[in-house]
């Protein structure tokens, strides 16, 4: 995975295959970046992880920040609907706008937009494709002892 960051935290996280990365985590990098690398490895090995690195979200519109904050609270191995997120963001009619916020999430996994699905249980969308979304949900739900039927 590729990580773009600055002194304030992670700005973007890219899935494998999106960019060619040549730099590895170095001793001079912030401790939270080293922890993020360990957490990402553990995540993909099927371990439950709570990502704690700082995120750069100030440049998102206010509604998107609110939505991303709600999504960040969705428990590992669970899913919520776009309308559920909209309601929790105090905009119950804004399910489509929630989808727009999810599509602009620069830090998937860290803000787990893959856990947001349609009300009928279908996957909806995902910036890296539905195959990735389904794999992430299955990985989490298997680890958490749940079954994903999407």
């Amino acid at each position: 995975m590729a990580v773009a960051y600055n002194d304030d935290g992670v700005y973007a996280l890219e899935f494998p295959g999106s960019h060619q990365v040549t730099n590895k985590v170095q001793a001079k990098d912030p401790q939270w970046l080293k922890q993020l690398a360990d957490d990402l490895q553990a995540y993909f090995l099927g371990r439950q992880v709570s990502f704690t690195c700082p995120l750069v979200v100030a440049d998102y519109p206010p509604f998107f920040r609110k939505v991303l904050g709600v999504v960040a609270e969705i428990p590992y191995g669970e899913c919520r609907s776009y309308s559920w997120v909209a309601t929790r963001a105090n905009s119950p009619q804004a399910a489509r706008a929630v989808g727009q916020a999810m599509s602009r999430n620069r830090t998937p996994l860290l803000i787990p937009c893959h856990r947001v699905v349609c009300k009928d249980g279908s996957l909806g969308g995902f910036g890296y494709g539905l195959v990735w979304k389904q794999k992430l949900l299955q990985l989490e739900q298997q680890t958490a002892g749940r079954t994903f039927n999407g």
Side-chain angles (χ1 to χ4, degrees):
M1 300 199 81
V3 178
Y5 69 96
N6 60 27
D7 291 338
D8 295 326
V10 176
Y11 179 80
L13 182 74
E14 297 285 335
F15 276 53
S18 300
H19 291 87
Q20 184 172 349
V21 179
T22 57
N23 295 337
K24 306 285 185 197
V25 176
Q26 307 284 317
K28 64 180 169 52
D29 288 323
Q31 181 58 40
W32 60 260
L33 185 63
K34 296 170 196 164
Q35 183 63 51
L36 175 59
D38 291 344
D39 289 345
L40 287 168
Q41 182 176 23
Y43 179 89
F44 284 106
L45 289 173
R47 297 188 193 120
Q48 187 169 337
V49 174
S50 295
F51 297 104
T52 59
C53 60
L55 301 176
V56 177
V57 296
D59 58 336
Y60 285 116
F63 177 73
F64 283 20
R65 285 195 307 270
K66 186 181 283 189
V67 165
L68 295 173
V70 169
V71 171
E73 299 299 319
I74 299 173
Y76 182 95
E78 297 184 19
C79 295
R80 301 291 186 267
S81 70
Y82 293 95
S83 59
W84 182 93
V85 173
T87 299
R88 295 309 180 284
N90 297 320
S91 298
Q93 301 301 313
R96 288 184 185 265
V98 167
Q100 289 298 309
M102 298 297 89
S103 72
R104 292 191 176 91
N105 177 15
R106 297 184 305 259
T107 54
L109 293 183
L110 309 181
I111 298 175
C113 56
H114 62 283
R115 297 179 189 156
V116 181
V117 298
C118 297
K119 192 184 297 187
D120 66 4
S122 61
L123 292 179
F126 189 63
Y128 290 95
L130 295 182
V131 170
W132 262 113
K133 186 171 187 171
Q134 187 167 15
K135 285 181 182 184
L136 295 173
L137 291 173
Q138 287 173 335
L139 173 70
E140 288 186 14
Q141 292 176 347
Q142 180 180 18
T143 301
R146 294 181 174 88
T147 304
F148 176 66
N149 297 318

